[in-house]
Amino acid sequence: MPLHEVIPPAAIARRVAELGAEIDARLPGGPLTVVGVLRGAFIFTADLVRAIPRELTVDFLGVRSYGDATVSSGVVEITSDLGAPIAGRHVLLVEDIVDTGLTLRYLLDLLRARGPASLHVCALLAKPAPAGNAVALDFVGFPAPDGFVVGYGLDGRQLYRNLPGINRLAE
Ligand code: IMP
């Protein structure tokens, strides 16, 4: 399938560095857990935590929202839970791409119920939120490019996660 790079690796690296500084400046002091959403955010999370110059722990939440289709099913399944409690900790949830926001809304409710001291969201890519369905995003890397995108952790039918840049996948 033809691929067209829309965000090159160097642009991602620059933006990740900015995000790390922004996050460090805006998040309250105190214990911080960065929670990456698997699998799409694994590379972004790995880069982002190295750009946040403070003490933190890293955890992951395994989620399946699309199955192998490219259209949101609205069904979110937790395939792997956090390794440690987040009560009383500041939590930064790291997502790959926010489309309808259904996945994110579900995850925020789940995490909020566990009593974190604060809960913020950082998404690498965000599509414009449909009216009435907005989920507040605290930090966004880039507006999501048009079409279905893969690479830098994002998959199309489980492929292309290893591409270093963000690519549009043409059917
Ligand atoms: P939402 O629940 O509609 O916001 O969908 C979010 C999830 O769908 C993301 O975490 C991705 O796993 C997946 N997704 C949505 N759009 C894309 C895309 O363009 N490429 C790859 N995955 C996507």
Side-chain angles (χ1 to χ4, degrees):
M1 247 181 269
L3 294 160
H4 172 66
E5 189 175 81
V6 286
I7 308 178
I12 298 174
R14 276 195 302 273
R15 187 67 189 120
V16 167
E18 287 172 1
L19 283 171
E22 214 181 300
I23 287 165
D24 186 44
R26 278 180 45 199
L27 253 55
L32 171 63
T33 297
V34 176
V35 175
V37 181
L38 295 176
R39 283 172 286 216
F42 81 108
I43 293 177
F44 180 41
T45 304
D47 282 346
L48 187 63
V49 292
R50 285 179 283 180
I52 304 174
R54 67 157 86 175
E55 210 165 81
L56 55 81
T57 62
V58 182
D59 211 336
F60 291 96
L61 200 53
V63 165
R64 189 181 299 139
S65 57
Y66 267 24
D68 280 337
T70 55
V71 180
S72 184
S73 63
V75 178
V76 178
E77 184 191 343
I78 302 295
T79 58
S80 166
D81 205 345
L82 295 178
I86 53 167
R89 303 185 61 86
H90 298 296
V91 171
L92 177 69
L93 185 66
V94 180
E95 258 284 26
D96 54 356
I97 178 166
V98 177
D99 182 1
T100 63
L102 284 172
T103 306
L104 185 58
R105 193 160 52 182
Y106 180 89
L107 296 180
L108 286 175
D109 288 347
L110 180 93
L111 295 180
R112 204 173 283 120
R114 297 183 184 183
S118 71
L119 185 54
H120 291 83
V121 180
C122 179
L124 174 66
L125 304 171
K127 297 194 180 172
N133 191 26
V135 181
L137 298 173
D138 302 288
F139 308 95
V140 175
F142 302 92
D146 290 336
F148 196 79
V149 289
V150 298
Y152 195 68
L154 287 89
D155 78 300
R157 300 185 194 276
Q158 298 306 325
L159 294 176
Y160 314 116
R161 294 191 195 275
N162 56 319
L163 297 174
I166 305 286
N167 291 254
R168 184 180 297 122
L169 183 63
E171 295 286 342

